[in-house]
Amino acid sequence: MTTVTLRIRAGSAPETVDLDTLTPKARALAEAIHMSVGHQPLGVLCDTGLTKGDNPNHTLLHGSGPRADEIAGQPDHRFMTNLEPLPRHAVTGPQEWLEYNARQMPVYAWPIAGARSRIEALTERVPSADAARDDRCMTRDQALRHLADGGTALTGGAWIALQKAGNAPHPRHYALGGRMPLWHVDDLDAYRARDYERWTISTVAAYLGYTGPSANGSARRQLSRWGLGQVDRAPGRGGEGRFAADQVTALHTARPGRGRHGAQRSDGGRFTAEESDHAPNVQQPFPLPKGSAHE
C-alpha cells in the first residue's frame, strides 16, 4: 500500500490516502497535492500534450521570428488553481474529492506537478504523470455531452439500455469501488464515428409496426421513451429527422414483450425461443469489476 498525506479539508488535520485505490489521473493529482507546500491544494500544474505553437492565436500573441519559434516549441502547460477544499464537516471523503476534481480537468490534460504557492508551480514531477497521461476517461454525464457534441444525443437511460443491448461501449474503468464508471474518450469517439444507417421517422414507424395516420407520432413517442434523439435530417427542404438505425433495432430487440414473462424480441419482433418461457435475468446498470460490493 502506497499512501500520501493531504490537507484538503478546511480547518482539519491532514488525511492519509491510499494511492492504490485511485485511478491514474486522481493518483497523480493526489501526488501533486502531497508534494505541494503544506500538502495543500494550492494549485496543480497540468500538461496538455500540446506545444504553445499549437495555439491558434500564437502568432497574434508572439508575432514571428526566432523568439516566437522558440516559444512555439515550448510545452503548453496549464496551472490549475480552482481546487476548493472540502468543508470541515463534509461527508465526502478524500478519494471522492480527488476523483471528482481529476475529472474536472480537460480530458486531454493530466497533473504533472504540485505548487509552491497559488501562483507558482513546483519543478519536480509526480511519479504517476505518465500513467495519468493515458487516463483520458469521462464520467457518464461527460460522456453523454461528448457524444451530443458529435451529433449523438442520448439520455442517461438510453445510454444504459444501449450498453445492456450490446450496442454502446461499456466503461473502461471504475473509480470509488465501482460507484463511478468511466468511459475512455477513444471508445466514445469510435462509437460516434461508427458506420450506421440513418432512418427517417416514417422508416422507424414501419420497423416498429406502427400504421395509419398516427404512425409517425407513435414512433416519436416510443423514441422519446427510449431517450433517443435524432442524429440529423434528411436532405432537402423539410426533410424528416433521421435516427440511428442500429440504436432503434437494439432497443426494440431488447424491449420486453407483453404477456410472455418479459421475453426479449428477435430481430423480427418475435420472442426468442430460449427466453420466451423465462423471466429475464436481473442485470446491474453497468458490469461491475470483480471484488466489488455489488458483484
Side-chain angles (χ1 to χ4, degrees):
M1 181 173 66
T2 305
T3 63
V4 293
T5 300
L6 306 178
R7 192 184 291 272
I8 58 175
R9 195 178 299 274
S12 297
E15 299 176 78
T16 300
V17 176
D18 181 3
L19 293 178
D20 296 334
T21 65
L22 302 173
T23 57
K25 186 178 281 190
R27 180 182 179 120
L29 175 60
E31 292 169 347
I33 296 173
H34 173 73
M35 295 166 64
S36 297
V37 172
H39 308 316
Q40 301 177 78
L42 302 174
V44 175
L45 186 66
C46 296
D47 199 345
T48 63
L50 303 173
T51 65
K52 292 182 179 180
D54 293 322
N55 187 330
N57 296 320
H58 173 73
T59 302
L60 179 64
L61 294 172
H62 303 286
S64 59
R67 177 55 182 164
D69 293 341
E70 179 184 347
I71 295 174
Q74 296 174 359
D76 184 15
H77 291 165
R78 308 292 176 87
F79 192 49
M80 179 180 177
T81 59
N82 60 340
L83 295 168
E84 292 290 336
L86 283 169
R88 182 173 183 177
H89 300 294
V91 296
T92 302
Q95 287 87 354
E96 187 173 354
W97 183 89
L98 288 163
E99 293 291 356
Y100 171 80
N101 280 285
R103 300 306 146 192
Q104 299 314 300
M105 299 177 185
V107 69
Y108 55 81
W110 67 96
I112 60 173
R116 181 172 288 106
S117 68
R118 294 195 180 277
I119 60 173
E120 184 181 3
L122 296 171
T123 57
E124 184 181 0
R125 297 299 185 246
V126 300
S128 298
D130 289 341
R133 178 175 187 163
D134 296 327
D135 183 4
R136 299 188 300 129
C137 291
M138 298 179 174
T139 64
R140 188 194 70 171
D141 290 345
Q142 291 170 335
L144 291 176
R145 287 195 296 269
H146 183 73
L147 291 172
D149 290 342
T152 303
L154 300 168
T155 64
W159 185 234
I160 293 174
L162 288 170
Q163 288 173 71
K164 294 172 70 173
N167 173 267
H170 287 284
R172 179 82 69 93
H173 301 294
Y174 293 85
L176 303 175
R179 291 186 290 116
M180 180 187 283
L182 298 170
W183 286 263
H184 198 281
V185 68
D186 289 349
D187 297 336
L188 298 173
D189 288 343
Y191 183 72
R192 199 165 65 175
R194 74 194 187 284
D195 185 24
Y196 59 90
E197 188 177 354
R198 290 164 169 79
W199 284 354
T200 62
I201 190 63
S202 55
T203 303
V204 173
Y207 173 77
L208 296 179
Y210 297 123
T211 59
S214 63
N216 287 0
S218 297
R220 287 193 181 92
R221 286 190 290 274
Q222 181 59 57
L223 293 171
S224 178
R225 284 192 290 270
W226 281 335
L228 295 184
Q230 66 183 43
V231 294
D232 62 12
R233 301 191 70 84
R237 187 173 183 179
E240 290 184 277
R242 298 195 297 186
F243 300 82
D246 62 333
Q247 294 176 347
V248 175
T249 56
L251 294 185
H252 179 62
T253 301
R255 185 169 57 167
R258 296 180 180 177
R260 297 294 296 276
H261 308 290
Q264 291 188 340
R265 304 169 187 268
S266 65
D267 290 341
R270 298 179 180 275
F271 300 107
T272 56
E274 64 271 19
E275 294 185 351
S276 60
D277 296 324
H278 303 280
N281 294 328
V282 177
Q283 299 182 11
Q284 294 287 344
F286 302 101
L288 295 174
K290 291 186 179 297
S292 68
H294 303 286
E295 186 180 9

